[in-house]
Amino acid sequence: MATVIFFHSVYGLRSLEHEAVERVQAAGHKAFAPDLYDGLIARSIEEGFEFKDEIGWPTICERAEWALAGLPASTVLAGFSMGAAVAASLWPKREKTAGILFLHGIASIAENARKGLPLQLHLADPDPFEPEEDVATWRQGVTKSGIAAEIFRYPGGGHLYTDASLPDYNAQAADLTWKRVIDFLGAIDANT
């Protein structure tokens, strides 16, 4: 059984993250999604960025670190959009993490990433927040790092295409993403 922590997007902790936890738990894993905004939920992406700026990045990352306290060192770090950057901020301190899941956003690769560490990236194609040149540069960093990354692109949806509450939603892409995520966690479970 894998343990996964999902960090929310700039919107705050909403149905997207709660449903992710339910899906992963239904597949036999442990899953958590902490509230890094202390109850604030944005009605728009612009309001989400305002919340992020008001709270401050250091506080958001500190709250994420507190949420990890007591979880196994092997906990899979996962994040939706902004949450991918939160997961990436913790990755260097979590050398025994069993895997990394970036959903709807690329984020930095830990300099101390161990060779062969499983990572999945799921992005819309195209993604308005992740220009192709940034994705290409990120792919080069993956190759240099030696991590075992799988990169999946999904045409037909917007940035947060797994979020059924947004116009970005694409049911087919979301279903395929969740199948791949569950398979990824099953493979991690089998190897730990």
Side-chain angles (χ1 to χ4, degrees):
M1 170 188 336
T3 301
V4 187
I5 189 164
F6 288 100
F7 298 111
H8 61 71
S9 77
V10 76
Y11 282 94
L13 184 63
R14 301 174 311 122
S15 59
L16 173 63
E17 293 80 20
H18 294 301
E19 290 167 9
V21 167
E22 289 171 11
R23 283 178 186 267
V24 168
Q25 288 176 339
H29 305 289
K30 289 184 179 177
F32 307 89
D35 184 353
L36 306 179
Y37 279 8
D38 198 23
L40 295 173
I41 298 174
R43 294 176 300 250
S44 69
I45 198 160
E46 294 79 15
E47 186 176 42
F49 280 112
E50 288 174 18
F51 290 161
K52 174 184 161 279
D53 293 342
E54 287 171 17
I55 295 164
W57 188 248
T59 300
I60 289 169
C61 292
E62 187 176 81
R63 289 174 178 175
E65 197 162 354
W66 291 339
L68 271 167
L71 293 181
S74 61
T75 297
V76 174
L77 302 175
F80 293 96
S81 192
M82 177 198 82
V86 173
S89 77
L90 299 170
W91 182 359
K93 302 172 189 175
R94 306 284 297 188
E95 293 180 35
K96 294 183 180 180
T97 186
I100 305 289
L101 270 171
F102 290 156
L103 298 140
H104 313 295
I106 57 175
S108 61
I109 299 163
E111 288 186 17
N112 62 340
R114 69 178 187 278
K115 305 286 186 224
L117 176 70
L119 179 147
Q120 272 192 352
L121 169 66
H122 300 270
L123 282 180
D125 185 16
D127 188 307
F129 292 97
E130 303 297 355
E132 287 305 314
E133 57 272 13
D134 292 355
V135 175
T137 300
W138 188 84
R139 283 178 189 261
Q140 292 172 354
V142 163
T143 301
K144 288 178 186 172
S145 74
I147 60 176
E150 296 177 287
I151 301 167
F152 300 105
R153 303 298 304 265
Y154 302 88
H159 176 63
L160 285 170
Y161 66 84
T162 61
D163 191 335
S165 73
L166 296 176
D168 290 358
Y169 184 63
N170 180 296
Q172 184 177 0
D175 288 346
L176 183 53
T177 296
W178 287 113
K179 180 193 178 312
R180 288 171 167 164
V181 166
I182 297 302
D183 290 348
F184 176 77
L185 295 174
I188 285 174
D189 183 35
N191 290 324
T192 53

